Amino acid sequence: MSLAEIETAAEALSLEEKRRLLEFLAARINGSQRDVSPVDLANFAGALLLSEDPVAWQQRVRGEWK
């Protein structure tokens, strides 16, 4: 199959099928053979307990707001 034939076939795909094709090709380019699906970050939402104020930590680490 030539590249022109692949491009013509890709044009005939629905938008969702084109997205899935892009994910498939991106996985192959990046060396991954597994199914690539988006991650819902809402699954990781929750409370975070910090031992230090985040602004104080940033000031200490970056040292730019003295």
Side-chain angles (χ1 to χ4, degrees):
M1 182 178 263
S2 71
L3 181 56
E5 291 171 316
I6 295 170
E7 289 172 344
T8 301
E11 279 298 318
L13 297 174
S14 69
L15 184 57
E16 180 57 33
E17 290 171 323
K18 287 177 183 176
R19 284 188 182 122
R20 288 177 40 213
L21 177 59
L22 280 172
E23 290 173 358
F24 169 82
L25 293 174
R28 294 311 180 268
I29 289 170
N30 294 326
S32 172
Q33 297 297 319
R34 64 180 180 86
D35 181 31
V36 177
S37 58
V39 175
D40 183 9
L41 295 179
N43 293 332
F44 298 99
L48 178 65
L49 300 176
L50 302 174
S51 61
E52 183 177 0
D53 176 57
V55 174
W57 177 85
Q58 188 174 27
Q59 289 174 337
R60 182 175 49 81
V61 171
R62 296 177 93 188
E64 59 185 46
W65 296 316
K66 293 182 180 181

